[in-house]
Structure formats: structure tokens, C-alpha cells
Amino acid sequence: MEINEIKEIWEKVEKEILNSIPESSHIWITMLEPVGFENDIFTLLSGQGMGIHMINQKYFNEVSNAFKKVLNREISFDIIFDEKLSKKMTEKIKKGRSELKAIDEKQKIVSNLSKLQSNSNLNLRFKFDNFVVGECNEFAYNLAKTVAEKPSEKYNPLFLYGGSGLGKTHLMQAIGQYILLKNPNNLKVKYTKTEDFINDFKKRFSKEGDDRKLMTQFRQKYFNVDVLLIDDIQLIENKKATIEEVFTLFDALYNKNKQIVITADRLPRELESLPDRLKTRFEMGVTVELLPPDIDTRINILKNLAKNDGINMSPDLLEYIAQTFSENVRELEGAYNKITAYSNMSKEPLSLNMAERLFASRYKKKKITIDDILKTVSEVYEVSKSDVLGTSRIAKVAMARKIIIYLARELTNESYLSIGEYFGGKTHSTIMYSYDKVKDEIKYNSKLAETVREIKQALKF
Ligand code: ADP
Ligand code: MG
């Protein structure tokens, strides 16, 4: 008989047998392999001597009856021990075990991670992986990654600064998580918000003054670490005692060559009430600014969020949200959450129209045009419109022209091509070049960055 037919018969017989014997014994049956059916003898192979014994002793009747039921006549069966099957089975069992072990390991890692997380106070949501890199944050990202890879070796302290919602906390926590995952057992990482540090510091005093036990606890928590991440250090301004403690902590860690990462909304030297000795220490390593995200980065952040949620957003919708929320990634995320939640609840598919309804009040009432930009920039740089639109190479004019191009791309929906037309037929690549030039320069020239920011503000009101 053909092997396929044999298998078909066995499938039915097997089902019958399994219905008639206890589940704990199913394993002896399911491991059998049908190989022949000649002269009313059905032959099966088994890799388990024990299984053959069990079937012949305990379930002989059940197996015989199953055959009878399926074939409508009585036949006999023969189970033969097979070496190859036996080996195969041992491997299968081994594999099963190692799979289990792998799962076990995974669970161990996860539980280790959550233990590490609770000690380090990190929020595991903030990773390098889900930080979208664009020109506005590339430099900061690279420095952060270097610190994460080589803590205490290169940039110490790393000082990240910039406006609210631009990714400082995210990058700082990503450093912590990366270090923990790479050195789970031998590096102590501690993330603290400055306000928590201040509170802990206050708590260490009891009514009678310094409390030894609390003091030891406090020191243990902050002084006994390999990597200290302090978020929003500007909050210690005007807090004299805390400032002193931060100073002591900084020196203690720094002298032991421990990595320190600090964030603030400003440069150290702009934290007015801090003593000079602390400001200079904060600037001893490297300081880097996080800038508001440019339009490409904003779109990429939205795309990334959508991708993680398996959501599809049309280009016009992405562009609309990215244009409406231009200064702050937290708000951009908020807008994304709002519109996706709305779409979920209302069962209405995402659309540009929906965004317009939800965000109308946020959308710049008056759409900014290149004309508006030209007017404002010309005023700031004290140049004439005709000079800017002409070919003058005077530095001031050239600068104003570049900034207009940059802002036109950032704040309007104009393409490089249409911006080029506005400037009397400049090519796509000329416009792109000017745009890139300003974008680059902003990263290194904080005065220019400030001017551009002010012009943007002026344009919005
Ligand atoms: P900050 O500390 O500068 O105020 P956060 O780090 O808290 O800002 O960032 C605000 C929110 O925006 C967070 O949810 C963060 O994950 C997100 N975010 C900021 N920058 C990025 C980025 N480049 N890519 C992805 N998410 C970002
Ligand atoms: Mg923050």
C-alpha cells in the first residue's frame, strides 16, 4: 500500500485511540510513525521502548478497536523499535528543553532589567532606538551615544541643554539604559530629577539637625554610583544648601572618574545664581544644545510613532500636524496621541480634515507666506527687499537671503522649486544648498540660532 494511504488510515485510527485513552498516555501514540500495511498487518515505528511496552500491555484493545472502527474489519498491528526515531526524539526533547531555557533566560533578563530599572530609576521607554535623529539633534545624539559606549572616558560631564520637550530627558535616560544593558552587574546607574534630589536632600535633616542614618542613606543613594544622571539642574537655582551639596557630589564623583550627565534649559553660564566654581565644572566636559526639530525631523517623529502603532498616515496629514506643532516634540506627540485616540473612538479614519477640525485653534491663523518672511527678515537685517530678491553679494544681504530661504522651507509648504521661482528662477539645488547652509550654521552659531528663533516668534504673532 502507498505510504500516503497508510498515513491517512493512521491519522483516523490515531484520533480514535486518543479519544479512548487518558491524556497522560497520548504521548506514546502521537510519537508513532506508520510505515507499512501488508497482509493485514499494520506496521508502526516507535523510538521509545517504553512506549511499545505500554501500548502492548495497557492499550492493546483500544488500538485494535480503533483499527476495527476505521477499517471495518479486524487486523493486527506491529510496533517496531527504531533507532533513528529514538535519536530524533532525544534531540527534540533536548531542543524543547533549550527552548524553555531560552525563554527562562529571557524572563530572567526582563526581571533583571526591571530590578535594575527600579534601582536606577530609569523609564525604559526612553531608548536610543526610538529617538529620531535629525539635524536638530544629531550632534547631541552622537555625544550621548559616545558617552553610553564609553562612560567616564571621553566627555565628562556631558551637559545637554535646550527648551522644553526637545528630547533632553529622553537622551539622558537612553544613556543610562544603554550602560545598564551593556554592564548589567558592574555599573551602578542613577537617574534623578533635580526636584527629587532636592527633596531627598531636605529629608536628611531631622528636627535636631543632621540625622546620621538619613544622611548615610542619602549618600548611599547618590554618592555611591558609577553613572549619575541629573535632570533639569536649573531647579537648584537660588537653593543655597542644595547647590553646596551638588558641588560636593560633583567633585566626589568626578574625582573618582564617574560619569556625570546633566540637563538644563540653559547653558551653565546662564544659570545666574550658581557660583562660578559650579558653572565652570559643568562646562568642563562638553555642552551641547538640543534645537527645536526641523520639519523633516518632525515628520519622521510622526512617522515613527505611526509605524510603531501600525497606523498609516497620509503625507498631507503628516505635513499638517508637523507644521502645526513645530516647536516641541512633546506637543507633537500629544497631537499624534490626540488624533489617533479620536479616530479610534469615533471609528472615523484619520484624515487631513479631522486634523483641521481638532487642531484648528492651534494652526497658525494666518498662514505664513514667503512675503511675510521676506518682510520680517529684511527689517531685522535692515536690507531692502529688492536687494534681497536681486543678486547683491553684500554679506548682510546674502545672509538675509539665506535665512529667508531657510524659513520659507521651514514655515511654509513651498517646495525648493517654488522658493527658487520666488527668487527669480534660482534652481532647486541652489535653494537646497542655502537651506542646508543655514541649518548647519545654526548648530554651531548660537547667535544666529537666537536670531532665527526670534524671527520665527515674530512671524507667528
Ligand atoms: P525634554 O526633557 O527636553 O523636555 P523629553 O526628553 O521629555 O524632553 O521629550 C519629550 C517627549 O518627546 C518624550 O516623549 C520623548 O520621547 C519625545 N522625543 C523628544 N525628542 C525625540 C526624538 N528625537 N525622537 C523621538 N521622540 C522624541
Ligand atoms: Mg526633561
Side-chain angles (χ1 to χ4, degrees):
M1 194 180 269
E2 289 287 321
I3 188 72
N4 281 347
E5 274 177 83
I6 297 172
K7 280 191 172 156
E8 246 171 63
I9 296 173
W10 175 243
E11 236 174 67
K12 288 182 197 145
V13 174
E14 187 183 24
K15 229 189 223 157
E16 287 296 328
I17 305 171
L18 295 182
N19 279 334
S20 60
I21 66 171
E23 221 175 310
S24 56
S25 295
H26 282 188
I27 183 101
W28 313 122
I29 303 297
T30 54
M31 278 177 176
L32 295 173
E33 219 169 80
V35 284
F37 188 20
E38 306 295 339
N39 305 325
D40 273 2
I41 301 175
F42 199 99
T43 311
L44 295 144
L45 298 183
S46 167
Q48 287 213 315
M50 168 88 165
I52 300 173
H53 180 76
M54 287 287 284
I55 293 168
N56 286 332
Q57 291 294 309
K58 267 182 105 172
Y59 302 121
F60 187 84
N61 286 338
E62 282 84 351
V63 175
S64 301
N65 288 339
F67 274 115
K68 194 171 162 192
K69 208 163 168 187
V70 171
L71 298 170
N72 280 324
R73 63 194 158 97
E74 284 194 32
I75 59 147
S76 47
F77 66 91
D78 194 7
I79 308 177
I80 301 167
F81 180 76
D82 184 79
E83 195 78 45
K84 259 201 233 143
L85 257 186
S86 165
K87 272 202 191 121
K88 222 160 104 187
M89 217 132 61
T90 328
E91 265 158 37
K92 207 167 156 189
I93 291 169
K94 254 200 216 150
K95 198 167 150 234
R97 284 232 183 87
S98 72
E99 266 164 18
L100 272 183
K101 219 168 133 195
I103 293 170
D104 245 27
E105 286 293 313
K106 234 188 210 157
Q107 270 165 353
K108 232 188 254 162
I109 291 174
V110 170
S111 82
N112 271 348
L113 198 61
S114 58
K115 204 158 82 208
L116 289 172
Q117 175 208 4
S118 71
N119 290 337
S120 63
N121 199 23
L122 288 172
N123 178 340
L124 299 182
R125 186 167 82 80
F126 299 121
K127 304 185 234 268
F128 282 122
D129 283 357
N130 58 8
F131 189 83
V132 175
V133 183
E135 304 213 5
C136 55
N137 57 29
E138 196 175 19
F139 194 40
Y141 175 89
N142 286 335
L143 289 172
K145 199 75 197 280
T146 307
V147 166
E149 268 155 13
K150 300 183 157 76
S152 310
E153 274 184 42
K154 273 220 147 137
Y155 306 111
N156 203 13
L158 170 64
F159 195 99
L160 301 164
Y161 70 100
S164 166
L166 299 184
K168 301 183 297 293
T169 299
H170 189 134
L171 265 188
M172 166 183 257
Q173 294 228 14
I175 295 175
Q177 184 176 152
Y178 189 95
I179 295 176
L180 270 190
L181 285 175
K182 240 179 115 188
N183 322 273
N185 296 319
N186 39 23
L187 283 184
K188 263 194 219 154
V189 175
K190 179 90 203 159
Y191 166 85
T192 181
K193 292 183 186 172
T194 297
E195 46 197 290
D196 293 339
F197 181 85
I198 296 172
N199 284 334
D200 278 353
F201 179 62
K202 271 192 207 142
K203 270 192 271 168
R204 74 168 236 218
F205 299 104
S206 62
K207 283 181 209 103
E208 297 82 44
D210 249 7
D211 180 311
R212 272 194 162 278
K213 203 172 128 223
L214 293 173
M215 164 90 167
T216 316
Q217 271 173 12
F218 176 82
R219 295 246 153 172
Q220 187 69 21
K221 189 163 168 187
Y222 295 105
F223 284 66
N224 187 21
V225 300
D226 299 296
V227 180
L228 181 69
L229 314 165
I230 310 189
D231 207 357
D232 288 323
I233 198 75
Q234 74 274 3
L235 296 174
I236 62 168
E237 273 197 303
N238 297 315
K239 298 206 160 46
K240 255 184 139 181
T242 316
I243 288 174
E244 275 315 306
E245 190 65 20
V246 168
F247 183 75
T248 314
L249 176 61
F250 185 98
D251 270 6
L253 293 177
Y254 189 84
N255 291 336
K256 282 192 286 180
N257 199 28
K258 306 298 188 188
Q259 177 70 48
I260 301 164
V261 182
I262 306 170
T263 71
D265 62 353
R266 281 156 280 164
L267 269 171
R269 70 188 83 127
E270 289 162 359
L271 297 167
E272 310 242 321
S273 83
L274 257 54
D276 286 341
R277 56 197 157 96
L278 202 49
K279 291 184 201 171
T280 48
R281 274 169 177 73
F282 286 172
E283 293 196 12
M284 229 151 44
V286 61
T287 58
V288 57
E289 182 174 15
L290 278 143
L291 296 167
D294 46 87
I295 180 75
D296 293 339
T297 308
R298 296 196 308 267
I299 289 181
N300 284 336
I301 288 173
L302 288 173
K303 277 189 184 161
N304 198 39
L305 291 168
K307 194 176 127 215
N308 285 339
D309 291 342
I311 287 174
N312 195 16
M313 281 191 164
S314 63
D316 59 351
L317 177 59
L318 289 168
E319 180 93 20
Y320 181 90
I321 302 178
Q323 289 292 4
T324 310
F325 298 88
S326 59
E327 298 298 312
N328 181 321
V329 182
R330 192 176 291 120
E331 286 185 4
L332 189 67
E333 271 188 357
Y336 169 86
N337 289 335
K338 186 167 172 185
I339 194 168
T340 48
Y342 183 85
S343 155
N344 255 337
M345 283 187 306
S346 65
K347 307 262 181 288
E348 183 188 329
L350 291 168
S351 68
L352 177 60
N353 177 279
M354 179 188 285
E356 283 168 349
R357 275 179 282 138
L358 285 179
F359 306 129
S361 63
R362 280 302 301 264
Y363 198 72
K364 292 152 234 107
K365 297 254 164 17
K366 168 175 76 79
K367 252 193 163 175
I368 297 169
T369 63
I370 308 189
D371 279 329
D372 301 331
I373 298 171
L374 174 68
K375 184 163 169 281
T376 309
V377 175
S378 307
E379 274 167 23
V380 171
Y381 279 82
E382 297 175 315
V383 293
S384 78
K385 287 187 196 174
S386 55
D387 277 350
V388 172
L389 290 175
T391 52
S392 163
R393 284 168 185 268
I394 299 170
K396 218 162 61 165
V397 177
M399 194 64 211
R401 194 180 291 133
K402 272 193 295 192
I403 290 177
I404 293 166
I405 290 171
Y406 171 78
L407 289 173
R409 177 65 194 132
E410 283 281 318
L411 303 176
T412 73
N413 287 330
E414 305 288 349
S415 65
Y416 289 129
L417 204 70
S418 59
I419 299 171
E421 274 159 20
Y422 188 88
F423 280 95
K426 285 195 184 341
T427 62
H428 173 281
S429 63
T430 310
I431 299 298
M432 197 159 87
Y433 179 78
S434 297
Y435 172 76
D436 287 344
K437 202 78 202 225
V438 175
K439 208 168 170 184
D440 265 352
E441 204 169 327
I442 282 177
K443 281 188 274 185
Y444 307 106
N445 180 342
S446 58
K447 201 166 153 240
L448 177 67
E450 187 55 34
T451 309
V452 168
R453 209 171 303 161
E454 278 167 14
I455 295 172
K456 271 191 186 172
Q457 283 302 322
L459 279 164
K460 280 186 185 160
F461 293 105

CSV table of all heavy atoms in Angstrom, one decimal, residues 336-374:
chain,number,residue,atom,x,y,z
A,336,TYR,N,-0.3,63.8,18.1
A,336,TYR,CA,-0.4,62.5,17.5
A,336,TYR,C,-1.4,61.6,18.3
A,336,TYR,O,-2.3,60.9,17.8
A,336,TYR,CB,0.9,61.8,17.4
A,336,TYR,CG,0.9,60.3,17.0
A,336,TYR,CD1,0.8,59.9,15.7
A,336,TYR,CD2,0.9,59.4,18.0
A,336,TYR,CE1,0.7,58.6,15.4
A,336,TYR,CE2,0.7,58.0,17.7
A,336,TYR,CZ,0.7,57.6,16.4
A,336,TYR,OH,0.6,56.3,16.1
A,337,ASN,N,-1.1,61.6,19.7
A,337,ASN,CA,-2.0,60.8,20.5
A,337,ASN,C,-3.4,61.2,20.5
A,337,ASN,O,-4.3,60.4,20.5
A,337,ASN,CB,-1.5,60.9,22.0
A,337,ASN,CG,-0.2,60.2,22.2
A,337,ASN,OD1,0.1,59.3,21.4
A,337,ASN,ND2,0.6,60.7,23.2
A,338,LYS,N,-3.6,62.6,20.4
A,338,LYS,CA,-5.0,63.1,20.4
A,338,LYS,C,-5.7,62.6,19.1
A,338,LYS,O,-6.8,62.1,19.2
A,338,LYS,CB,-5.0,64.6,20.4
A,338,LYS,CG,-6.3,65.2,20.6
A,338,LYS,CD,-6.2,66.7,20.9
A,338,LYS,CE,-7.6,67.3,20.9
A,338,LYS,NZ,-7.6,68.8,21.1
A,339,ILE,N,-5.1,62.8,18.0
A,339,ILE,CA,-5.8,62.4,16.8
A,339,ILE,C,-6.0,60.9,16.6
A,339,ILE,O,-7.1,60.5,16.1
A,339,ILE,CB,-5.2,63.1,15.5
A,339,ILE,CG1,-6.1,63.0,14.3
A,339,ILE,CG2,-3.9,62.4,15.1
A,339,ILE,CD1,-5.7,63.9,13.2
A,340,THR,N,-5.1,60.1,17.0
A,340,THR,CA,-5.2,58.7,16.9
A,340,THR,C,-6.3,58.2,17.9
A,340,THR,O,-7.1,57.3,17.6
A,340,THR,CB,-3.9,57.9,17.1
A,340,THR,OG1,-3.3,58.4,18.3
A,340,THR,CG2,-3.0,58.1,16.0
A,341,ALA,N,-6.3,58.8,19.1
A,341,ALA,CA,-7.4,58.4,20.1
A,341,ALA,C,-8.7,58.8,19.5
A,341,ALA,O,-9.7,58.0,19.6
A,341,ALA,CB,-7.1,59.1,21.4
A,342,TYR,N,-8.8,60.0,18.9
A,342,TYR,CA,-10.1,60.4,18.4
A,342,TYR,C,-10.6,59.5,17.3
A,342,TYR,O,-11.7,59.1,17.3
A,342,TYR,CB,-9.9,61.9,17.9
A,342,TYR,CG,-11.2,62.5,17.4
A,342,TYR,CD1,-12.1,63.1,18.2
A,342,TYR,CD2,-11.5,62.4,16.0
A,342,TYR,CE1,-13.2,63.7,17.8
A,342,TYR,CE2,-12.7,62.9,15.5
A,342,TYR,CZ,-13.6,63.6,16.4
A,342,TYR,OH,-14.7,64.1,15.9
A,343,SER,N,-9.7,59.1,16.4
A,343,SER,CA,-10.0,58.3,15.3
A,343,SER,C,-10.5,56.9,15.8
A,343,SER,O,-11.5,56.3,15.3
A,343,SER,CB,-8.8,58.1,14.4
A,343,SER,OG,-8.9,57.0,13.6
A,344,ASN,N,-9.8,56.4,16.9
A,344,ASN,CA,-10.2,55.2,17.5
A,344,ASN,C,-11.6,55.2,18.0
A,344,ASN,O,-12.4,54.3,17.8
A,344,ASN,CB,-9.3,54.8,18.6
A,344,ASN,CG,-8.3,53.8,18.2
A,344,ASN,OD1,-8.5,53.0,17.3
A,344,ASN,ND2,-7.1,53.8,18.9
A,345,MET,N,-11.9,56.2,18.8
A,345,MET,CA,-13.2,56.3,19.5
A,345,MET,C,-14.3,56.6,18.5
A,345,MET,O,-15.4,56.0,18.6
A,345,MET,CB,-13.1,57.4,20.5
A,345,MET,CG,-12.3,56.9,21.7
A,345,MET,SD,-12.4,58.1,23.1
A,345,MET,CE,-11.8,59.6,22.3
A,346,SER,N,-14.0,57.5,17.5
A,346,SER,CA,-15.1,57.8,16.6
A,346,SER,C,-15.3,56.8,15.5
A,346,SER,O,-16.2,56.9,14.7
A,346,SER,CB,-14.9,59.2,16.1
A,346,SER,OG,-13.7,59.2,15.3
A,347,LYS,N,-14.3,55.9,15.4
A,347,LYS,CA,-14.2,54.9,14.3
A,347,LYS,C,-14.2,55.6,12.9
A,347,LYS,O,-14.6,55.1,11.9
A,347,LYS,CB,-15.5,54.0,14.3
A,347,LYS,CG,-15.7,53.3,15.6
A,347,LYS,CD,-15.1,51.9,15.6
A,347,LYS,CE,-15.3,51.1,16.9
A,347,LYS,NZ,-14.5,51.6,18.0
A,348,GLU,N,-13.7,56.8,12.9
A,348,GLU,CA,-13.6,57.6,11.7
A,348,GLU,C,-12.1,57.5,11.3
A,348,GLU,O,-11.2,57.7,12.1
A,348,GLU,CB,-14.0,59.0,12.0
A,348,GLU,CG,-14.0,59.9,10.8
A,348,GLU,CD,-14.2,61.4,11.2
A,348,GLU,OE1,-14.8,61.7,12.2
A,348,GLU,OE2,-13.6,62.3,10.5
A,349,PRO,N,-11.8,57.2,10.0
A,349,PRO,CA,-10.4,57.1,9.6
A,349,PRO,C,-9.7,58.4,9.7
A,349,PRO,O,-10.3,59.5,9.5
A,349,PRO,CB,-10.5,56.6,8.1
A,349,PRO,CG,-11.9,56.8,7.7
A,349,PRO,CD,-12.8,56.9,8.9
A,350,LEU,N,-8.4,58.3,10.0
A,350,LEU,CA,-7.6,59.5,10.1
A,350,LEU,C,-7.6,60.3,8.8
A,350,LEU,O,-7.6,59.7,7.7
A,350,LEU,CB,-6.1,59.2,10.3
A,350,LEU,CG,-5.8,58.6,11.7
A,350,LEU,CD1,-4.4,58.0,11.7
A,350,LEU,CD2,-5.9,59.6,12.8
A,351,SER,N,-7.7,61.6,8.8
A,351,SER,CA,-7.7,62.4,7.6
A,351,SER,C,-7.2,63.8,7.9
A,351,SER,O,-7.2,64.2,9.1
A,351,SER,CB,-9.1,62.5,7.0
A,351,SER,OG,-9.9,63.2,7.9
A,352,LEU,N,-6.9,64.5,6.9
A,352,LEU,CA,-6.4,65.9,7.0
A,352,LEU,C,-7.6,66.7,7.6
A,352,LEU,O,-7.4,67.5,8.5
A,352,LEU,CB,-6.0,66.4,5.6
A,352,LEU,CG,-5.6,67.9,5.6
A,352,LEU,CD1,-4.4,68.1,6.5
A,352,LEU,CD2,-5.3,68.3,4.2
A,353,ASN,N,-8.8,66.4,7.1
A,353,ASN,CA,-10.0,67.1,7.5
A,353,ASN,C,-10.2,67.0,9.1
A,353,ASN,O,-10.5,67.9,9.8
A,353,ASN,CB,-11.2,66.6,6.8
A,353,ASN,CG,-12.5,67.2,7.3
A,353,ASN,OD1,-13.0,66.8,8.3
A,353,ASN,ND2,-12.9,68.2,6.5
A,354,MET,N,-9.9,65.8,9.6
A,354,MET,CA,-10.0,65.5,11.0
A,354,MET,C,-9.0,66.4,11.8
A,354,MET,O,-9.4,67.0,12.8
A,354,MET,CB,-9.8,64.1,11.3
A,354,MET,CG,-9.9,63.7,12.8
A,354,MET,SD,-9.4,62.0,13.1
A,354,MET,CE,-10.8,61.2,12.5
A,355,ALA,N,-7.8,66.4,11.3
A,355,ALA,CA,-6.7,67.2,11.9
A,355,ALA,C,-7.1,68.7,11.9
A,355,ALA,O,-6.9,69.4,12.9
A,355,ALA,CB,-5.4,67.0,11.2
A,356,GLU,N,-7.7,69.1,10.8
A,356,GLU,CA,-8.1,70.5,10.7
A,356,GLU,C,-9.2,70.9,11.8
A,356,GLU,O,-9.1,71.9,12.4
A,356,GLU,CB,-8.6,70.9,9.3
A,356,GLU,CG,-7.4,71.0,8.4
A,356,GLU,CD,-7.8,71.1,6.9
A,356,GLU,OE1,-9.0,70.8,6.6
A,356,GLU,OE2,-7.0,71.4,6.1
A,357,ARG,N,-10.1,69.9,12.0
A,357,ARG,CA,-11.1,70.2,13.0
A,357,ARG,C,-10.5,70.2,14.4
A,357,ARG,O,-10.8,71.0,15.2
A,357,ARG,CB,-12.2,69.1,12.9
A,357,ARG,CG,-13.3,69.4,11.8
A,357,ARG,CD,-14.3,68.3,11.8
A,357,ARG,NE,-13.8,67.1,11.0
A,357,ARG,CZ,-13.9,65.8,11.4
A,357,ARG,NH1,-14.5,65.5,12.5
A,357,ARG,NH2,-13.4,64.9,10.6
A,358,LEU,N,-9.6,69.2,14.7
A,358,LEU,CA,-9.1,69.1,16.0
A,358,LEU,C,-8.1,70.2,16.4
A,358,LEU,O,-8.0,70.6,17.5
A,358,LEU,CB,-8.4,67.7,16.2
A,358,LEU,CG,-9.2,66.5,16.3
A,358,LEU,CD1,-8.3,65.2,16.4
A,358,LEU,CD2,-10.1,66.6,17.5
A,359,PHE,N,-7.3,70.6,15.4
A,359,PHE,CA,-6.2,71.5,15.7
A,359,PHE,C,-6.4,72.9,15.2
A,359,PHE,O,-5.5,73.7,15.2
A,359,PHE,CB,-4.9,70.9,15.2
A,359,PHE,CG,-4.6,69.5,15.7
A,359,PHE,CD1,-4.3,68.5,14.9
A,359,PHE,CD2,-4.7,69.2,17.1
A,359,PHE,CE1,-4.1,67.2,15.3
A,359,PHE,CE2,-4.5,67.9,17.6
A,359,PHE,CZ,-4.2,66.9,16.7
A,360,ALA,N,-7.6,73.2,14.8
A,360,ALA,CA,-7.9,74.5,14.1
A,360,ALA,C,-7.3,75.6,15.0
A,360,ALA,O,-6.6,76.5,14.5
A,360,ALA,CB,-9.3,74.7,13.9
A,361,SER,N,-7.6,75.5,16.3
A,361,SER,CA,-7.2,76.7,17.2
A,361,SER,C,-5.7,76.8,17.2
A,361,SER,O,-5.1,77.9,17.5
A,361,SER,CB,-7.8,76.5,18.6
A,361,SER,OG,-7.2,75.3,19.1
A,362,ARG,N,-5.0,75.6,17.0
A,362,ARG,CA,-3.5,75.7,17.1
A,362,ARG,C,-2.9,76.1,15.8
A,362,ARG,O,-1.7,76.6,15.8
A,362,ARG,CB,-3.0,74.3,17.5
A,362,ARG,CG,-3.1,74.0,19.0
A,362,ARG,CD,-2.3,75.0,19.8
A,362,ARG,NE,-0.9,75.1,19.4
A,362,ARG,CZ,0.0,74.5,20.1
A,362,ARG,NH1,-0.3,73.7,21.1
A,362,ARG,NH2,1.3,74.5,19.7
A,363,TYR,N,-3.6,75.8,14.8
A,363,TYR,CA,-3.0,76.1,13.5
A,363,TYR,C,-2.8,77.6,13.3
A,363,TYR,O,-3.7,78.4,13.7
A,363,TYR,CB,-3.9,75.6,12.3
A,363,TYR,CG,-3.1,75.5,11.0
A,363,TYR,CD1,-2.2,74.5,10.9
A,363,TYR,CD2,-3.4,76.4,10.0
A,363,TYR,CE1,-1.5,74.4,9.7
A,363,TYR,CE2,-2.7,76.3,8.8
A,363,TYR,CZ,-1.8,75.3,8.7
A,363,TYR,OH,-1.1,75.2,7.5
A,364,LYS,N,-1.6,78.0,12.9
A,364,LYS,CA,-1.4,79.5,12.7
A,364,LYS,C,-2.5,80.1,11.9
A,364,LYS,O,-2.8,79.7,10.8
A,364,LYS,CB,-0.1,79.7,12.0
A,364,LYS,CG,1.1,79.3,12.9
A,364,LYS,CD,2.2,78.9,12.0
A,364,LYS,CE,2.8,77.5,12.3
A,364,LYS,NZ,2.4,76.5,11.3
A,365,LYS,N,-3.2,81.0,12.6
A,365,LYS,CA,-4.4,81.6,11.9
A,365,LYS,C,-4.1,82.1,10.5
A,365,LYS,O,-4.7,81.7,9.6
A,365,LYS,CB,-4.9,82.8,12.8
A,365,LYS,CG,-5.3,82.4,14.1
A,365,LYS,CD,-6.8,82.4,14.3
A,365,LYS,CE,-7.4,81.7,15.5
A,365,LYS,NZ,-6.4,81.4,16.6
A,366,LYS,N,-3.1,82.9,10.5
A,366,LYS,CA,-2.7,83.5,9.2
A,366,LYS,C,-1.5,82.5,8.8
A,366,LYS,O,-0.6,82.4,9.5
A,366,LYS,CB,-2.2,84.9,9.5
A,366,LYS,CG,-1.5,85.5,8.4
A,366,LYS,CD,-1.2,87.0,8.7
A,366,LYS,CE,0.0,87.1,9.7
A,366,LYS,NZ,1.3,87.1,9.2
A,367,LYS,N,-1.8,82.0,7.6
A,367,LYS,CA,-0.7,81.1,7.1
A,367,LYS,C,0.5,82.0,6.8
A,367,LYS,O,0.4,83.1,6.2
A,367,LYS,CB,-1.2,80.4,5.8
A,367,LYS,CG,-1.4,78.9,6.1
A,367,LYS,CD,-1.6,78.3,4.7
A,367,LYS,CE,-1.4,76.8,4.9
A,367,LYS,NZ,-1.7,76.0,3.7
A,368,ILE,N,1.7,81.6,7.2
A,368,ILE,CA,2.8,82.4,6.9
A,368,ILE,C,3.2,82.2,5.4
A,368,ILE,O,3.3,81.1,4.9
A,368,ILE,CB,4.0,82.0,7.8
A,368,ILE,CG1,3.6,82.3,9.3
A,368,ILE,CG2,5.3,82.7,7.5
A,368,ILE,CD1,4.6,81.7,10.3
A,369,THR,N,3.5,83.3,4.8
A,369,THR,CA,3.9,83.2,3.4
A,369,THR,C,5.3,83.7,3.2
A,369,THR,O,5.9,84.3,4.1
A,369,THR,CB,3.0,84.2,2.5
A,369,THR,OG1,3.3,85.5,2.9
A,369,THR,CG2,1.6,83.9,2.7
A,370,ILE,N,5.9,83.4,2.0
A,370,ILE,CA,7.3,83.9,1.8
A,370,ILE,C,7.3,85.4,1.9
A,370,ILE,O,8.3,86.0,2.4
A,370,ILE,CB,7.9,83.4,0.5
A,370,ILE,CG1,7.7,81.9,0.3
A,370,ILE,CG2,9.4,83.8,0.4
A,370,ILE,CD1,8.4,81.4,-1.0
A,371,ASP,N,6.3,86.1,1.5
A,371,ASP,CA,6.2,87.5,1.6
A,371,ASP,C,6.4,88.0,3.0
A,371,ASP,O,7.2,88.9,3.3
A,371,ASP,CB,4.9,88.1,1.0
A,371,ASP,CG,4.9,88.2,-0.5
A,371,ASP,OD1,6.0,88.4,-1.0
A,371,ASP,OD2,3.8,88.0,-1.1
A,372,ASP,N,5.7,87.3,3.9
A,372,ASP,CA,5.8,87.7,5.3
A,372,ASP,C,7.2,87.5,5.8
A,372,ASP,O,7.8,88.4,6.5
A,372,ASP,CB,4.9,86.8,6.2
A,372,ASP,CG,3.5,86.8,5.9
A,372,ASP,OD1,3.0,87.9,5.4
A,372,ASP,OD2,2.8,85.8,6.1
A,373,ILE,N,7.8,86.4,5.4
A,373,ILE,CA,9.2,86.1,5.8
A,373,ILE,C,10.1,87.2,5.3
A,373,ILE,O,11.0,87.7,6.0
A,373,ILE,CB,9.6,84.7,5.4
A,373,ILE,CG1,8.7,83.7,6.1
A,373,ILE,CG2,11.1,84.4,5.7
A,373,ILE,CD1,8.8,82.3,5.6
A,374,LEU,N,10.0,87.5,4.0
A,374,LEU,CA,10.8,88.5,3.4
A,374,LEU,C,10.7,89.8,4.1
A,374,LEU,O,11.7,90.4,4.4
A,374,LEU,CB,10.4,88.7,1.9
A,374,LEU,CG,11.0,89.8,1.1
A,374,LEU,CD1,12.5,89.4,0.9
A,374,LEU,CD2,10.4,90.0,-0.2
